PDB file of all heavy atoms in Angstrom:
ATOM      1  N   ILE Y  25      73.303 -73.125  72.775  1.00  0.00           N
ATOM      2  CA  ILE Y  25      73.985 -72.127  73.601  1.00  0.00           C
ATOM      3  C   ILE Y  25      74.764 -71.192  72.715  1.00  0.00           C
ATOM      4  O   ILE Y  25      75.428 -71.611  71.752  1.00  0.00           O
ATOM      5  CB  ILE Y  25      74.849 -72.772  74.627  1.00  0.00           C
ATOM      6  CG1 ILE Y  25      74.021 -73.568  75.636  1.00  0.00           C
ATOM      7  CG2 ILE Y  25      75.751 -71.774  75.304  1.00  0.00           C
ATOM      8  CD1 ILE Y  25      74.795 -74.427  76.567  1.00  0.00           C
ATOM      9  N   SER Y 213      80.615 -80.005  87.644  1.00  0.00           N
ATOM     10  CA  SER Y 213      79.386 -79.229  87.451  1.00  0.00           C
ATOM     11  C   SER Y 213      78.828 -79.355  86.031  1.00  0.00           C
ATOM     12  O   SER Y 213      77.641 -79.130  85.794  1.00  0.00           O
ATOM     13  CB  SER Y 213      79.581 -77.768  87.749  1.00  0.00           C
ATOM     14  OG  SER Y 213      80.612 -77.213  86.922  1.00  0.00           O
ATOM     15  N   PHE Y 214      79.626 -79.762  85.070  1.00  0.00           N
ATOM     16  CA  PHE Y 214      79.183 -79.967  83.702  1.00  0.00           C
ATOM     17  C   PHE Y 214      80.104 -80.972  82.994  1.00  0.00           C
ATOM     18  O   PHE Y 214      81.218 -81.235  83.481  1.00  0.00           O
ATOM     19  CB  PHE Y 214      79.068 -78.655  82.912  1.00  0.00           C
ATOM     20  CG  PHE Y 214      80.369 -77.941  82.696  1.00  0.00           C
ATOM     21  CD1 PHE Y 214      81.193 -78.221  81.588  1.00  0.00           C
ATOM     22  CD2 PHE Y 214      80.811 -76.940  83.569  1.00  0.00           C
ATOM     23  CE1 PHE Y 214      82.413 -77.583  81.385  1.00  0.00           C
ATOM     24  CE2 PHE Y 214      82.008 -76.289  83.384  1.00  0.00           C
ATOM     25  CZ  PHE Y 214      82.818 -76.607  82.292  1.00  0.00           C
ATOM     26  N   VAL Y 232      76.948 -80.059  75.791  1.00  0.00           N
ATOM     27  CA  VAL Y 232      77.177 -79.909  77.212  1.00  0.00           C
ATOM     28  C   VAL Y 232      75.966 -80.383  77.968  1.00  0.00           C
ATOM     29  O   VAL Y 232      74.766 -80.161  77.601  1.00  0.00           O
ATOM     30  CB  VAL Y 232      77.533 -78.475  77.580  1.00  0.00           C
ATOM     31  CG1 VAL Y 232      76.411 -77.490  77.258  1.00  0.00           C
ATOM     32  CG2 VAL Y 232      77.944 -78.383  79.042  1.00  0.00           C
ATOM     33  N   PHE Y 234      74.650 -80.371  82.248  1.00  0.00           N
ATOM     34  CA  PHE Y 234      74.955 -79.799  83.514  1.00  0.00           C
ATOM     35  C   PHE Y 234      74.460 -80.761  84.634  1.00  0.00           C
ATOM     36  O   PHE Y 234      73.428 -81.424  84.502  1.00  0.00           O
ATOM     37  CB  PHE Y 234      74.287 -78.464  83.722  1.00  0.00           C
ATOM     38  CG  PHE Y 234      74.795 -77.421  82.701  1.00  0.00           C
ATOM     39  CD1 PHE Y 234      74.108 -77.267  81.488  1.00  0.00           C
ATOM     40  CD2 PHE Y 234      75.916 -76.635  82.942  1.00  0.00           C
ATOM     41  CE1 PHE Y 234      74.540 -76.294  80.597  1.00  0.00           C
ATOM     42  CE2 PHE Y 234      76.342 -75.728  82.037  1.00  0.00           C
ATOM     43  CZ  PHE Y 234      75.691 -75.567  80.838  1.00  0.00           C
ATOM     44  N   LYS Y 235      75.221 -80.777  85.716  1.00  0.00           N
ATOM     45  CA  LYS Y 235      74.855 -81.610  86.852  1.00  0.00           C
ATOM     46  C   LYS Y 235      73.954 -80.813  87.745  1.00  0.00           C
ATOM     47  O   LYS Y 235      74.381 -79.794  88.313  1.00  0.00           O
ATOM     48  CB  LYS Y 235      76.074 -82.145  87.603  1.00  0.00           C
ATOM     49  CG  LYS Y 235      75.735 -83.300  88.510  1.00  0.00           C
ATOM     50  CD  LYS Y 235      77.029 -84.004  88.970  1.00  0.00           C
ATOM     51  CE  LYS Y 235      76.664 -85.319  89.700  1.00  0.00           C
ATOM     52  NZ  LYS Y 235      77.877 -86.011  90.159  1.00  0.00           N
ATOM     53  N   LYS Y 236      72.715 -81.332  87.918  1.00  0.00           N
ATOM     54  CA  LYS Y 236      71.748 -80.676  88.820  1.00  0.00           C
ATOM     55  C   LYS Y 236      71.022 -81.731  89.639  1.00  0.00           C
ATOM     56  O   LYS Y 236      70.577 -82.743  89.086  1.00  0.00           O
ATOM     57  CB  LYS Y 236      70.696 -79.835  87.995  1.00  0.00           C
ATOM     58  CG  LYS Y 236      71.335 -78.612  87.359  1.00  0.00           C
ATOM     59  CD  LYS Y 236      70.273 -77.751  86.676  1.00  0.00           C
ATOM     60  CE  LYS Y 236      70.828 -76.480  86.114  1.00  0.00           C
ATOM     61  NZ  LYS Y 236      69.834 -75.591  85.495  1.00  0.00           N
ATOM     62  N   THR Y 241      71.533 -83.052  83.205  1.00  0.00           N
ATOM     63  CA  THR Y 241      70.458 -82.488  82.412  1.00  0.00           C
ATOM     64  C   THR Y 241      70.517 -82.994  80.941  1.00  0.00           C
ATOM     65  O   THR Y 241      71.541 -83.532  80.512  1.00  0.00           O
ATOM     66  CB  THR Y 241      70.528 -80.958  82.371  1.00  0.00           C
ATOM     67  OG1 THR Y 241      71.803 -80.574  81.777  1.00  0.00           O
ATOM     68  CG2 THR Y 241      70.493 -80.374  83.803  1.00  0.00           C
ATOM     69  N   GLN Y 244      72.798 -79.933  75.746  1.00  0.00           N
ATOM     70  CA  GLN Y 244      72.552 -78.737  74.857  1.00  0.00           C
ATOM     71  C   GLN Y 244      73.711 -78.566  73.936  1.00  0.00           C
ATOM     72  O   GLN Y 244      74.867 -78.808  74.298  1.00  0.00           O
ATOM     73  CB  GLN Y 244      72.410 -77.477  75.729  1.00  0.00           C
ATOM     74  CG  GLN Y 244      71.273 -77.526  76.746  1.00  0.00           C
ATOM     75  CD  GLN Y 244      71.205 -76.302  77.599  1.00  0.00           C
ATOM     76  OE1 GLN Y 244      71.142 -75.180  77.091  1.00  0.00           O
ATOM     77  NE2 GLN Y 244      71.272 -76.480  78.908  1.00  0.00           N
ATOM     78  N   ALA Y 312      83.491 -69.024  80.413  1.00  0.00           N
ATOM     79  CA  ALA Y 312      83.098 -68.605  81.804  1.00  0.00           C
ATOM     80  C   ALA Y 312      81.628 -68.312  81.873  1.00  0.00           C
ATOM     81  O   ALA Y 312      80.972 -68.586  82.886  1.00  0.00           O
ATOM     82  CB  ALA Y 312      83.927 -67.397  82.188  1.00  0.00           C
ATOM     83  N   ASP Y 313      81.032 -67.734  80.805  1.00  0.00           N
ATOM     84  CA  ASP Y 313      79.601 -67.422  80.842  1.00  0.00           C
ATOM     85  C   ASP Y 313      78.742 -68.683  80.773  1.00  0.00           C
ATOM     86  O   ASP Y 313      77.625 -68.682  81.278  1.00  0.00           O
ATOM     87  CB  ASP Y 313      79.211 -66.474  79.683  1.00  0.00           C
ATOM     88  CG  ASP Y 313      79.701 -66.950  78.341  1.00  0.00           C
ATOM     89  OD1 ASP Y 313      80.846 -67.446  78.216  1.00  0.00           O
ATOM     90  OD2 ASP Y 313      78.954 -66.790  77.339  1.00  0.00           O
ATOM     91  N   LEU Y 314      79.257 -69.751  80.219  1.00  0.00           N
ATOM     92  CA  LEU Y 314      78.533 -71.040  80.173  1.00  0.00           C
ATOM     93  C   LEU Y 314      78.297 -71.544  81.591  1.00  0.00           C
ATOM     94  O   LEU Y 314      77.176 -71.875  81.970  1.00  0.00           O
ATOM     95  CB  LEU Y 314      79.362 -72.101  79.447  1.00  0.00           C
ATOM     96  CG  LEU Y 314      78.856 -73.489  79.460  1.00  0.00           C
ATOM     97  CD1 LEU Y 314      77.613 -73.665  78.589  1.00  0.00           C
ATOM     98  CD2 LEU Y 314      79.957 -74.494  79.023  1.00  0.00           C
ATOM     99  N   LYS Y 315      79.307 -71.488  82.450  1.00  0.00           N
ATOM    100  CA  LYS Y 315      79.224 -71.954  83.794  1.00  0.00           C
ATOM    101  C   LYS Y 315      78.371 -70.976  84.656  1.00  0.00           C
ATOM    102  O   LYS Y 315      77.568 -71.389  85.492  1.00  0.00           O
ATOM    103  CB  LYS Y 315      80.598 -72.135  84.409  1.00  0.00           C
ATOM    104  CG  LYS Y 315      80.598 -72.814  85.726  1.00  0.00           C
ATOM    105  CD  LYS Y 315      82.012 -73.139  86.202  1.00  0.00           C
ATOM    106  CE  LYS Y 315      82.056 -73.876  87.504  1.00  0.00           C
ATOM    107  NZ  LYS Y 315      83.424 -74.159  87.917  1.00  0.00           N
ATOM    108  N   ALA Y 316      78.543 -69.688  84.411  1.00  0.00           N
ATOM    109  CA  ALA Y 316      77.877 -68.655  85.214  1.00  0.00           C
ATOM    110  C   ALA Y 316      76.373 -68.678  85.067  1.00  0.00           C
ATOM    111  O   ALA Y 316      75.607 -68.405  85.963  1.00  0.00           O
ATOM    112  CB  ALA Y 316      78.420 -67.289  84.851  1.00  0.00           C
ATOM    113  N   GLU Y 317      75.894 -69.090  83.852  1.00  0.00           N
ATOM    114  CA  GLU Y 317      74.463 -69.021  83.573  1.00  0.00           C
ATOM    115  C   GLU Y 317      73.738 -70.268  84.021  1.00  0.00           C
ATOM    116  O   GLU Y 317      72.538 -70.378  83.951  1.00  0.00           O
ATOM    117  CB  GLU Y 317      74.242 -68.817  82.092  1.00  0.00           C
ATOM    118  CG  GLU Y 317      74.656 -67.456  81.610  1.00  0.00           C
ATOM    119  CD  GLU Y 317      74.529 -67.291  80.076  1.00  0.00           C
ATOM    120  OE1 GLU Y 317      73.955 -68.218  79.473  1.00  0.00           O
ATOM    121  OE2 GLU Y 317      74.979 -66.269  79.550  1.00  0.00           O
ATOM    122  N   HIS Y 318      74.466 -71.268  84.476  1.00  0.00           N
ATOM    123  CA  HIS Y 318      73.836 -72.517  84.877  1.00  0.00           C
ATOM    124  C   HIS Y 318      74.307 -72.920  86.263  1.00  0.00           C
ATOM    125  O   HIS Y 318      74.823 -73.924  86.486  1.00  0.00           O
ATOM    126  CB  HIS Y 318      74.184 -73.621  83.867  1.00  0.00           C
ATOM    127  CG  HIS Y 318      73.618 -73.359  82.481  1.00  0.00           C
ATOM    128  ND1 HIS Y 318      74.240 -72.522  81.610  1.00  0.00           N
ATOM    129  CD2 HIS Y 318      72.481 -73.815  81.910  1.00  0.00           C
ATOM    130  CE1 HIS Y 318      73.480 -72.472  80.472  1.00  0.00           C
ATOM    131  NE2 HIS Y 318      72.410 -73.216  80.629  1.00  0.00           N
TER     132      HIS Y 318
END
Side-chain angles (χ1 to χ4, degrees):
I25 292 171
S213 60
F214 64 87
V232 63
F234 298 92
K235 197 168 191 180
K236 290 186 177 181
T241 63
Q244 300 177 57
D313 51 319
L314 172 73
K315 189 172 181 180
E317 292 176 6
H318 295 81

